[in-house]
């Protein structure tokens, strides 16, 4: 069971790291890049990137949540409550991220995808992007803290 716990926590950490890296890139690199573009170019680039992101990122996102839940459960079932709490907190952070993403980021992603595919600039494009930008640091922090939680789970499981 120790090996299973290690495998699950590692899978949760790796999947979380993919989303964390993407959100960190968005916060540190893409946000200032988009701010420097005209609205039409920004719409095209943002729309295309979200089209690919919305198609490809659910896999690591789902894997991080499923592996995180399985990690917490396995830790508790194998008598490692400290590791279970660490994994449970990490899972909670991922779920908070998911709510923020689905309520704020995803509708904006869809608006930019639709506009880019139609070859138009959505009304209030700059304000939409600013709204998306307004939570990217929080999203990255949630993912980064969850990643640390899964790393802590691995350390506590080994103790």
């Amino acid at each position: 069971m120790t090996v299973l716990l290690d495998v699950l926590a590692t899978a949760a950490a790796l999947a979380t790291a993919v989303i964390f890296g993407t959100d960190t890139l968005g916060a540190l690199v893409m946000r200032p890049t988009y701010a420097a573009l005209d609205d039409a170019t920004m719409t095209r680039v943002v729309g295309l990137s979200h089209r690919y992101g919305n198609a490809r990122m659910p896999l690591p996102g789902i894997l991080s949540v499923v592996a995180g839940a399985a990690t917490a459960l396995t830790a508790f079932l194998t008598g490692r409550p400290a590791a279970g709490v660490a994994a449970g907190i990490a899972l909670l952070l991922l779920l908070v991220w998911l709510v923020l993403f689905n309520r704020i980021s995803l509708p904006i992603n869809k608006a930019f995808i639709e506009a880019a595919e139609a070859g138009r600039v959505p009304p209030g494009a700059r304000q939409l992007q600013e709204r998306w930008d307004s939570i990217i640091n929080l999203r990255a922090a949630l993912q980064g803290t969850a990643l640390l939680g899964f790393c802590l789970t691995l350390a506590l499981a080994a103790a």
Side-chain angles (χ1 to χ4, degrees), residues 55-80:
R56 297 175 178 169
M57 296 306 285
L59 180 62
I62 291 166
L63 179 59
S64 68
V65 170
V66 171
T71 299
L73 179 63
T74 302
F76 284 117
L77 291 176
T78 59
R80 293 175 177 87

Side-chain angles (χ1 to χ4, degrees), residues 62-135:
I62 291 166
L63 179 59
S64 68
V65 170
V66 171
T71 299
L73 179 63
T74 302
F76 284 117
L77 291 176
T78 59
R80 293 175 177 87
V85 168
I89 291 170
L91 176 61
L92 178 63
L93 294 170
L94 294 180
L95 295 175
V96 169
W97 181 95
L98 193 58
V99 168
L100 289 172
F101 178 81
N102 282 314
R103 290 200 176 162
I104 298 171
S105 302
L106 186 57
I108 295 168
N109 291 2
K110 290 178 179 180
F112 274 112
I113 292 167
E114 181 181 303
E117 289 175 348
R120 63 176 176 75
V121 175
R126 196 58 57 179
Q127 291 77 20
L128 282 173
Q129 187 58 39
E130 287 170 1
R131 175 74 174 135
W132 193 93
D133 290 344
S134 73
I135 66 162

